[in-house]
Amino acid sequence: MSDSPQPYRVLARKYRSRSFSELIGQDAMVQTLGNAIRRGRLAHAFLMTGVRGVGKTSTARLIAKALNCIGPDGQGGPTIDPCGVCEPCVAIAEGRHIDVVEMDAASHTGVDDVREIIEAVRYAAVSARYKIYIIDEVHMLSKNAFNALLKTLEEPPAHVKFLFATTEVNKVPVTVLSRCQRFDLRRIPADLLANHFANICDKEGVTAETDALALIAQAAEGSARDGLSILDQAIAHAEMGGDALLVTASQVRDMLGLSDRGSTRRLLGLLLEGDTGALLTAVRDQYGLGVEPLALMRGLLELTHAVTLVKAGRDIASPGQSAEEREAIAEWASQLGFAPLHRLWQLLLKGHDEVASAVLPIESCEMALLRVMHAATMPDPGELARMLREGVPAGLPTPQGGEQARLPSEPSAALPRTMQDLVALVDRSKPSLANHLNDCAALVSLNPPEVAVRLTHDWPQGDFKRDLAQALNSAVPGMKWTVRLEESGGGATLQQQEQAEKAAARAEILETPVVKAAMAAFPDAELDDKLEQWSA
């Protein structure tokens, strides 16, 4: 009788990390553990936290192997590179080692389950160097269970190690966290995942397009397990290409219900151009091809985010990005300002949330995009305030892309013409700066949005040019001011002018016959300030 065939093992289990060298994206943690093992500075409790599928439970098992490995000759000690062939390594990998106990806290939440551990830790390990308890999803333990564990966790016997794993570290009591050495396992970068999936495809005898692996890595959102599950599905979905299975990008898009990037770029272009009919037609075409409305909104959000990052000067080039996509993003980044990009993001994000909970997803998607399109022609709050202040009628058209037009009006009516106007404008947002401008700055030139001054005393509270420009930008929305500091020119400051006027008025009063006679009759008399003010 022939042996029955081996049952199929899904890729996520088949390619679970068997050594620390196979653990991708967690180099900092591996280095820390390696140093601790080599120097004999092993903690009694470890806590691994991170999103699903980044290797928390695998890391716990690897630590158990590293601590109990005895080497091929049976004489080895703890090592960051367990041999994988000795009895402890093999037994732990197969989940049958008597001294390595795994417990799922999601199904063992009570204090009685913890009491069993507390009773068992008193006894030495049967055959291993350390008795190890791996508790997965430890945040699921009840409050009483955590309290019962605290004392043992703080002072366990030398032969016991605790390894905890959780996706929600915020639910683990601080008293437990303070007794553990914590490792935050990071999301795995998409490029590392794509390379990892390419290696697995080679081992499985599967041919996969680079773009297909990039799409799978992006859909995995940093989780190796999620990515391997998607890859498993993609291989099952693939067709034969010659002698091997071929996983293509178009198949992955169809399988995941994703819009291709070219279609997303066309949608964003139509959205910015304000072509209502073409936009609705494109949305329905994508829907007819099987693209989910939520995936469509997500694609627009990702593209808007990419444009904003490029606008901010960040390089976002990736292997899966085409030259056409890079050119389109660069062009939008040069044409659009930060204000319309932020508004576009907020409107798309609101639409995404509505589509996610909508009874009619495609209809909600269309309505959300129409709202984005029409809101792009509305003035932002700063522009609206300027319109109201200058008496400009609202509702005038704006140029393509949502940037507010420079509307015909009398802007000079709201702009400063004199130093006094400038001080009054700054006083609205920063009175202390206005006082310094009044007392210690002489106006050299004023041609909005440019102003040049000469300072008689330094501004003690920061950068004068920056602070004055910010105050003016805040007071006059839509205008970017430039401030220059000159070494000469400008005459007197407002304070000096006021003091000169007072001195002139005082001299004029002292020259009047009545005052001169009074001062002659009373040599010690002084002119009262109130008289000066009354005279003025």
Side-chain angles (χ1 to χ4, degrees):
M1 183 176 178
S2 60
D3 294 336
S4 60
Q6 263 320 92
Y8 176 71
R9 295 180 68 198
V10 295
L11 297 181
R13 292 188 60 198
K14 185 176 181 180
Y15 293 99
R16 184 187 288 266
S17 300
R18 290 168 295 184
S19 67
F20 283 105
S21 61
E22 295 179 4
L23 196 64
I24 60 174
Q26 313 299 342
D27 296 341
M29 181 199 68
V30 173
Q31 181 179 355
T32 303
L33 282 173
N35 291 340
I37 291 174
R38 281 189 291 270
R39 297 166 187 170
R41 302 178 63 89
L42 290 170
H44 58 271
F46 298 88
L47 174 69
M48 273 67 69
T49 177
V51 299
R52 80 262 173 234
V54 293
K56 298 183 298 297
T57 306
S58 295
T59 299
R61 292 173 181 169
L62 289 175
I63 294 175
K65 289 169 63 177
L67 296 182
N68 284 326
C69 178
I70 58 175
D73 59 359
Q75 303 300 317
T79 174
I80 194 63
D81 297 309
C83 66
V85 297
C86 66
E87 175 56 26
C89 284
V90 173
I92 292 172
E94 295 176 355
R96 57 178 176 79
H97 200 293
I98 192 172
D99 292 319
V100 178
V101 181
E102 289 194 35
M103 186 181 90
D104 178 20
S107 55
H108 298 82
T109 62
V111 68
D112 291 336
D113 299 304
V114 172
R115 282 203 186 101
E116 291 182 11
I117 296 176
I118 296 172
E119 291 295 324
V121 297
R122 294 184 300 173
Y123 303 104
V126 176
S127 61
R129 184 178 296 112
Y130 292 104
K131 179 178 284 189
I132 295 177
Y133 291 90
I134 300 175
I135 303 181
D136 203 7
E137 299 301 337
V138 69
H139 66 274
M140 299 291 286
L141 289 178
S142 66
K143 182 178 179 180
N144 289 338
F146 273 124
N147 290 336
L149 187 61
L150 283 180
K151 187 62 179 177
T152 302
L153 185 61
E154 184 171 21
E155 298 177 359
H159 62 272
V160 174
K161 302 290 182 186
F162 288 98
L163 306 177
F164 301 140
T166 178
T167 53
E168 298 184 53
V169 70
N170 58 301
K171 294 184 178 180
V172 178
V174 177
T175 49
V176 173
L177 293 177
S178 65
R179 291 166 166 84
C180 299
Q181 190 170 99
R182 173 175 166 176
F183 293 104
D184 290 86
L185 277 68
R186 301 180 178 182
R187 290 181 185 271
I188 305 170
D191 56 343
L192 286 182
L193 282 177
N195 292 334
H196 182 54
F197 299 155
N199 293 332
I200 289 175
C201 286
D202 289 340
K203 295 175 182 177
E204 291 290 313
V206 175
T207 302
E209 293 180 355
T210 302
D211 287 351
L213 296 178
L215 286 172
I216 294 173
Q218 290 170 0
E221 297 183 339
S223 168
R225 185 174 62 235
D226 286 7
L228 287 173
S229 297
I230 298 172
L231 180 60
D232 230 339
Q233 184 179 356
I235 293 173
H237 187 74
E239 298 179 357
M240 293 297 296
D243 296 331
L245 290 171
L246 176 62
V247 178
T248 65
S250 60
Q251 290 173 338
V252 173
R253 289 192 188 97
D254 292 341
M255 182 186 76
L256 297 177
L258 299 175
S259 173
D260 68 88
R261 295 186 177 186
S263 298
T264 304
R265 292 198 303 275
R266 287 191 292 274
L267 276 178
L268 184 59
L270 293 172
L271 197 63
L272 296 176
E273 291 169 8
D275 193 337
T276 305
L279 176 70
L280 293 177
T281 300
V283 170
R284 284 291 174 171
D285 288 345
Q286 289 292 293
Y287 187 63
L289 292 172
V291 178
E292 293 296 327
L294 196 63
L296 192 149
M297 296 296 295
R298 183 188 178 109
L300 288 171
L301 278 167
E302 290 174 346
L303 189 53
T304 302
H305 179 247
V307 173
T308 307
L309 291 182
V310 172
K311 180 75 176 178
R314 181 174 170 183
D315 183 12
I316 61 167
S318 64
Q321 196 177 56
S322 64
E324 293 82 3
E325 183 174 357
R326 286 194 292 271
E327 291 174 3
I329 290 175
E331 183 178 358
W332 281 324
S334 65
Q335 292 178 351
L336 298 173
F338 281 112
L341 282 172
H342 291 322
R343 183 162 34 163
L344 181 61
W345 171 265
Q346 291 296 333
L347 290 168
L348 287 172
L349 189 61
K350 178 176 175 58
H352 177 276
D353 293 343
E354 291 175 353
V355 173
S357 59
V359 178
L360 303 172
I362 185 61
E363 287 80 2
S364 296
C365 178
E366 291 174 333
M367 294 299 292
L369 294 180
L370 288 175
R371 181 175 62 217
V372 173
M373 181 180 293
H374 293 120
T377 64
M378 296 174 61
D380 59 33
E383 186 71 12
L384 187 60
R386 187 182 70 81
M387 289 177 174
L388 294 173
R389 185 171 59 253
E390 298 174 5
V392 179
L396 295 181
T398 59
Q400 176 180 335
E403 290 279 20
Q404 298 302 320
R406 289 294 174 195
L407 302 174
S409 62
E410 290 292 336
S412 59
L415 297 178
R417 297 189 179 91
T418 66
M419 188 61 165
Q420 288 86 346
D421 295 342
L422 199 67
V423 171
L425 203 60
V426 175
D427 189 57
R428 297 178 186 175
S429 59
K430 198 157 187 178
S432 60
L433 181 62
N435 290 336
H436 193 78
L437 195 64
N438 182 89
D439 299 346
C440 305
L443 183 64
V444 177
S445 65
L446 178 57
N447 184 24
E450 295 183 0
V451 59
V453 297
R454 174 179 57 83
L455 289 179
T456 60
H457 295 81
D458 290 336
W459 169 238
Q461 299 182 24
D463 186 332
F464 180 81
K465 288 173 59 176
R466 181 201 63 201
D467 293 348
L468 180 56
Q470 289 177 350
L472 292 172
N473 289 339
S474 176
V476 188
M479 183 172 285
K480 186 172 180 62
W481 283 77
T482 301
V483 178
R484 299 198 320 273
L485 294 181
E486 303 290 351
E487 296 294 332
S488 60
T493 67
L494 288 182
Q495 185 185 56
Q496 290 170 341
Q497 293 175 23
E498 183 181 354
Q499 291 172 346
E501 290 172 359
K502 286 185 177 181
R506 180 184 182 88
E508 184 179 352
I509 292 173
L510 289 173
E511 288 300 318
T512 58
V514 175
V515 175
K516 289 179 70 173
M519 297 299 287
F522 304 98
D524 295 332
E526 294 182 357
L527 184 63
D528 191 274
D529 289 341
K530 292 182 180 179
L531 181 58
E532 293 183 52
Q533 295 170 5
W534 173 82
S535 174

